[in-house]
Amino acid sequence: MSTAVTDEQIQALAATAQPYSLAILQWGPERAMDGADAIELEHQRRMVALRADGVIAILCPVTSDTVAGVAIMTVPAEEAEKIMAGDPCVQAGMMRCEVHPCHGFPGDALPV
């Protein structure tokens, strides 16, 4: 670590924390089912629409044999669970989703 951080800086940042939900999508047993490509395209369309609507703040597809992607959602965990339960890939058994409440800080973003 090259940057020194004081206790006061940590406390000031912690005071700005906002609630979010972390959705972790993992590949399920039906990943390669008949029609999977079309279902995955609808999943992608839905996730991008949720991002455009502000329900997903950060969307990160993952290149992995086990994890399909992660999303930071701007809604409470209970609502995020309901939204993700309606996902085409989740409904088809191609993916399963875990949702966890988390916190983020104003101004955090991925670098361009």
Side-chain angles (χ1 to χ4, degrees):
M1 276 188 335
S2 59
T3 303
V5 177
T6 67
D7 293 349
E8 291 78 19
Q9 288 173 306
I10 294 169
Q11 292 168 351
L13 182 61
T16 68
Q18 298 292 315
Y20 294 94
S21 296
L22 171 65
I24 303 168
L25 286 161
Q26 296 179 316
W27 290 112
E30 300 297 327
R31 179 180 183 184
M33 66 186 283
D34 287 341
D37 289 343
I39 295 169
E40 189 171 349
L41 182 59
E42 289 309 308
H43 154 79
Q44 292 167 349
R45 186 180 326 281
R46 186 171 186 270
M47 296 297 279
V48 171
L50 289 168
R51 181 178 174 267
D53 291 344
V55 175
I56 294 177
I58 297 177
L59 179 58
C60 297
V62 175
T63 306
S64 165
D65 289 334
T66 56
V67 178
V70 296
I72 304 294
M73 302 180 74
T74 60
V75 296
E78 301 79 30
E79 186 176 348
E81 288 173 353
K82 289 177 186 172
I83 290 168
M84 295 312 298
D87 182 88
C89 282
V90 172
Q91 290 183 337
M94 293 173 57
M95 294 179 187
R96 58 186 176 278
C97 185
E98 292 180 15
V99 174
H100 303 275
C102 65
H103 288 85
F105 306 102
D108 281 359
L110 295 172
V112 178

